[in-house]
Amino acid sequence: QLQLVESGGGLVQAGGSLRLSCTASRFTGGYAIGWFRQAPGKEREGVSSINSSGGSTNYADSVKGRFTISRDNKKNTVYLQMNSLKPEDTATYYCAAKFGVATMIQTSYPYWGQGTQVTVSS
């Protein structure tokens, strides 16, 4: 069973930056990784995804140009660098893993972390 642990969340002012990490319990070189988020009272939504090699990435329109996903397979870790944060980015952020193509379709991801809270104050 692949286990994922998110870290790096916290409280930041609007315009600030955070870097989230998603660390796996074992080698993730064969897995695509997705980041998702859920704000209070809203459905969980896709934020970004990256394929197993790191050569292909996807971003939600709402974060394009502000967030960058990357991975270090030697460290079994995927990162989400979040810049120019806005109050509407406030949410619990989850990472998830799957075999195959990196997508932002939640139901295609069988492995999920517990989430890390990001709060952006105005």
Side-chain angles (χ1 to χ4, degrees), residues 4-9 18-24 28 31-36 47-51 54 56-59 63 66-83 93-96 116:
L4 304 171
V5 178
E6 303 93 338
S7 62
L18 284 173
R19 187 178 78 159
L20 305 184
S21 298
C22 171
T23 301
T28 55
Y31 292 88
I33 303 292
W35 281 100
F36 300 84
V47 175
S48 183
S49 64
I50 188 167
N51 72 344
S56 178
T57 58
N58 301 293
Y59 296 94
V63 306
R66 300 188 298 123
F67 291 11
T68 303
I69 191 170
S70 62
R71 67 189 298 159
D72 184 343
N73 286 340
K74 293 182 180 178
K75 295 183 178 179
N76 297 340
T77 300
V78 172
Y79 304 98
L80 185 68
Q81 178 66 45
M82 306 187 296
N83 298 329
Y93 284 71
Y94 301 89
C95 66
T116 186

Side-chain angles (χ1 to χ4, degrees), residues 10-18 37 39-40 42 45 47 60-67 81-93 117-122:
L11 173 64
V12 64
Q13 288 188 329
S17 299
L18 284 173
R37 66 185 182 187
K42 296 187 177 181
E45 63 178 359
V47 175
D61 288 343
S62 59
V63 306
K64 279 181 182 176
R66 300 188 298 123
F67 291 11
Q81 178 66 45
M82 306 187 296
N83 298 329
S84 302
L85 283 161
K86 304 175 181 180
E88 51 263 45
D89 294 318
T90 295
T92 301
Y93 284 71
Q117 178 66 37
V118 171
T119 303
V120 184
S121 63
S122 57

